[in-house]
Amino acid sequence: MLTTYLRLIWAYLQIGLFGFGGGYAMLSLIQRLVVGNDWCPTITSQTFTDIVAISQMTPGPIGINSATYIGYVATGSVLGSIVATFTVVLPPFVLMLCASHFIARHQESAVIKGSFMGLRPVVVGLIASAALLLMNKENFGSTSMEVIKSVAICLASLGTVYFTKIHPILVIIAAGIIGYLIF
């Protein structure tokens, strides 16, 4: 059991340290480090998709919510949830303390401004990677008709949020109801 905790800590230290761009950007890293490993065999691609869905619906950042759930599943205890959550938060917290002091002192520097300009496309790429990661048969179905229905719901939801002032939560609820009715 101690080995599971140590591997959980190691995985979430890496995720916390290299998960730039927020929760969606770190999804592919979480999947690579957690899904299909011998220390947490119960987390499959299907389970991971469910974890992402639950983490999106619960309040809080998706990376922290998924760490809490995966920590519980991996260890079978609340302590595992606490350890994973603390471990994923610790590296960014320490880095932000150090970086905020440095950036405040050198905020007009061309190097700092250039670094932030360079990070923007990387974050967009990581978020696009997360979107592609979630485009799997667990989310869109395995038959062509299921895929067509799923893509239609996805595009209708995107269009509704983009072109109207309807709150995204209402669109999510409506998409869930429509999905329930047609699947």
Side-chain angles (χ1 to χ4, degrees):
M1 185 55 100
L2 179 62
T3 318
T4 303
Y5 279 98
L6 292 175
R7 293 179 86 180
L8 182 69
I9 289 169
W10 177 242
Y12 275 100
L13 277 175
Q14 292 176 72
I15 292 165
L17 192 59
F18 299 111
F20 295 107
Y24 292 106
M26 65 173 62
L27 281 179
S28 58
L29 181 59
I30 294 170
Q31 183 182 31
R32 188 170 56 82
L33 292 174
V34 174
V35 174
N37 287 321
D38 58 341
W39 58 274
C40 191
T42 57
I43 298 184
T44 62
S45 292
Q46 174 64 46
T47 308
F48 184 73
T49 300
D50 295 341
I51 290 168
V52 171
I54 291 168
S55 296
Q56 289 174 340
M57 292 187 292
T58 54
I62 190 170
I64 294 172
N65 292 345
S66 64
T68 304
Y69 186 80
I70 290 169
Y72 182 80
V73 170
T75 63
S77 71
V78 175
L79 180 61
S81 294
I82 294 168
V83 166
T85 304
F86 177 76
T87 308
V88 78
V89 171
L90 183 63
F93 177 73
V94 171
L95 287 173
M96 285 309 302
L97 281 178
C98 297
S100 62
H101 177 70
F102 177 80
I103 291 170
R105 292 184 67 201
H106 304 286
Q107 63 186 346
E108 296 302 319
S109 166
V111 173
I112 297 294
K113 287 181 180 180
S115 298
F116 280 113
M117 290 298 290
L119 283 175
R120 288 181 187 154
V122 171
V123 171
V124 170
L126 289 170
I127 293 171
S129 169
L132 291 174
L133 174 77
L134 295 174
M135 290 183 187
N136 54 32
K137 67 180 180 181
E138 287 85 9
N139 283 331
F140 282 87
S142 54
T143 67
S144 60
M145 187 51 76
E146 288 176 337
V147 172
I148 290 169
K149 291 176 185 177
S150 296
V151 170
I153 292 171
C154 179
L155 292 176
S157 299
L158 175 68
T160 302
V161 170
Y162 189 76
F163 293 113
T164 68
K165 294 188 178 198
I166 297 174
H167 198 278
I169 296 293
L170 296 175
V171 174
I172 290 170
I173 292 168
I177 293 169
I178 292 168
Y180 178 76
L181 294 174
I182 67 173
F183 288 105

